Amino acid sequence: MRYSGRDVISPMSQPVSGVIVLSQEPLRPRSMSIRLSSVSKSFGAHPAVDGISAEIESGTFFVVLGPSGCGKSTLLRCIAGLEPIDDGEIALGDDVVANGHVFVPPEARDVGVVFQSYALWPHLSVSKNVSFPLETARLSKDAIAAKTKACLETVELMPFKDRRPADLSGGQRQRVALARCLAQSAGTILMDEPLANLDPHLRSAMEDELGDFHRTSGSTTVFITHDQREAMALADKIALMWDGRFLQVDAPDVLYARPETEEVARFIGRSTIVDVEVTGRANGNCRVRLGEAVFDVAGRTTTAGQKARLVIRPEHLRPCPPADGLEVWVTRATYRGGYWETHLAAEGLEGELLINLPAKAAPGDAMGVRLTDGWLLPG
């Protein structure tokens, strides 16, 4: 593995003892896989990234989702080379870029970063912001002009090429940052909550643009967010991060329908988690007792008589006569646009069930509900 004209240096621009010096050839351009092997990073006694391992396939839109302070941005900075890791290994494609003996600096990793703050040059025009990495690479003037034009056309900003960032909307500034990544031809694009500063309407529009950008660039994208709706809309794979660790890495629909832990089930979507008794199996499903009623649900638990934890989503419940299901009463109802999110309580049931109803029910109304599906947490 060799790099052109650069030594492999520490982030403090000091030689690192035992570091392998690599020279003469840049990292492979375009889409690259990412391998994280037991990656750790601490600040003082606090482990921001705690032994994370993951394989991100080339060309994947990979979303790291989690609450504030869980270590998402620190992980992104470690991949970018903006933070050194304490332990483990990071590889981009076939090339190791960080471990106990190697540290490849950010400029040699073929990584483009889109920050929440956009990080645009305020004194440069839109076209100059986009052409900056091309000029740094010392391409010819004709090549710079052609590629800058192509990148701006991709994000539909050619009419704004002579404006400065201060004269643009938040969404337009974000597109400038994306065009600059396209100009870099980066094999990996890292996005740190790039939509957080946008209003809800523009954020929804930008989700479509980000999806188009990912397909256009062909790059592997790592996207950081705390917004699960954003993650579900964009991701090929989602890693739910919690206290410096990945709790589960899966496709969005699998993460929602088949959570592996209570933390995942509570963070993704709306749900109630209740204790049930497994009474057996039927038609490939588990048969469980909830209150005085028995229902069939999905899950891997098979031992009759075993206690288990059941995840119930609003769509798992259907109204029915009280005698045919679980007897409940309404505690409150909130209009969500097209349906009423209705909270239900039942005798002996921990927490409240949620069901989406077409009409408003008054607090105290009695009704019955039937469980049409559910998910028994593994173990």
Side-chain angles (χ1 to χ4, degrees):
M1 184 174 71
R2 300 175 300 168
Y3 298 88
S4 176
R6 300 184 181 95
D7 290 337
V8 178
I9 58 174
S10 77
M12 301 302 292
S13 298
Q14 298 294 327
V16 178
S17 176
V19 164
I20 303 169
V21 178
L22 312 162
S23 63
Q24 300 316 311
E25 202 173 284
L27 290 174
R28 179 171 58 87
R30 307 309 305 156
S31 179
M32 293 186 295
S33 61
I34 302 172
R35 188 181 75 251
L36 308 173
S37 304
S38 302
V39 174
S40 295
K41 173 67 181 179
S42 295
F43 297 101
H46 174 67
V49 177
D50 192 5
I52 282 181
S53 295
E55 294 275 352
I56 303 173
E57 294 181 2
S58 173
T60 300
F61 200 119
F62 188 87
V63 174
V64 181
L65 170 67
S68 297
C70 73
K72 306 184 300 294
S73 293
T74 300
L75 177 62
L76 179 139
R77 290 175 64 84
C78 289
I79 297 171
L82 301 174
E83 292 283 355
I85 62 175
D86 298 333
D87 200 7
E89 184 171 275
I90 299 174
L92 301 179
D94 296 328
D95 300 312
V96 173
V97 295
N99 63 19
H101 304 289
V102 173
F103 183 85
V104 176
E107 64 271 19
R109 293 195 182 191
D110 187 29
V111 169
V113 184
V114 179
F115 295 101
Q116 182 177 332
S117 61
Y118 316 131
L120 301 177
W121 297 102
H123 62 290
L124 296 181
S125 67
V126 167
S127 61
K128 283 292 187 181
N129 266 280
V130 174
S131 67
F132 182 79
L134 303 174
E135 293 169 359
T136 302
R138 299 186 179 181
L139 299 184
S140 69
K141 287 186 178 180
D142 288 346
I144 291 171
K147 188 153 189 178
T148 299
K149 181 174 184 289
C151 292
L152 288 175
E153 285 176 342
T154 297
V155 298
E156 299 182 351
L157 282 179
M158 270 302 289
F160 305 92
K161 65 183 178 65
D162 296 322
R163 293 192 187 182
R164 299 214 174 160
D167 300 322
L168 302 176
S169 69
Q172 289 166 337
R173 291 179 202 172
Q174 192 60 270
R175 280 188 274 163
V176 176
L178 294 173
R180 186 174 56 194
C181 274
L182 272 179
Q184 287 178 263
S185 297
T188 303
I189 295 176
L190 310 177
M191 300 186 182
D192 192 2
E193 305 222 36
L195 307 184
N197 293 331
L198 306 182
D199 62 67
H201 176 74
L202 182 56
R203 185 180 297 186
S204 179
M206 282 301 297
E207 285 173 6
D208 293 336
E209 292 197 27
L210 284 174
D212 291 341
F213 172 81
H214 174 70
R215 287 185 288 273
T216 300
S217 69
S219 297
T220 305
T221 302
V222 178
F223 184 98
I224 303 298
T225 184
H226 64 272
D227 188 323
Q228 62 174 282
R229 186 194 59 81
E230 214 169 78
M232 291 285 177
L234 290 168
D236 297 317
K237 286 283 183 70
I238 297 176
L240 182 57
M241 193 168 181
W242 200 273
D243 289 338
R245 300 188 177 200
F246 285 172
L247 295 184
Q248 186 173 347
V249 181
D250 259 315
D253 56 334
V254 176
L255 198 69
Y256 180 85
R258 302 289 185 263
E260 293 180 356
T261 67
E262 286 199 27
E263 290 90 345
V264 176
R266 293 186 189 282
F267 193 85
I268 301 294
R270 304 293 302 276
S271 66
T272 304
I273 302 176
V274 298
D275 287 321
V276 294
E277 178 187 351
V278 179
T279 64
R281 290 189 71 84
N283 301 319
N285 290 325
C286 294
R287 182 154 287 174
V288 301
R289 185 180 303 279
L290 179 61
E292 297 301 316
V294 175
F295 304 104
D296 292 342
V297 299
R300 295 191 289 269
T301 305
T302 58
T303 305
Q306 180 179 350
K307 297 291 185 182
R309 298 282 281 170
L310 178 66
V311 179
I312 303 174
R313 306 284 192 188
E315 62 270 22
H316 295 159
L317 294 171
R318 294 287 184 274
C320 70
D324 295 338
L326 182 67
E327 294 185 39
V328 296
W329 65 90
V330 176
T331 61
R332 67 183 188 277
T334 304
Y335 187 63
R336 296 296 186 187
Y339 67 91
W340 290 86
E341 182 183 78
T342 306
H343 295 245
L344 308 172
E347 191 72 36
L349 184 71
E350 59 179 303
E352 293 182 330
L353 298 173
L354 294 174
I355 186 173
N356 297 330
L357 297 176
K360 184 178 182 180
D365 283 357
M367 60 185 293
V369 291
R370 181 160 190 81
L371 194 62
T372 61
D373 202 354
W375 172 246
L376 281 176
L377 289 168

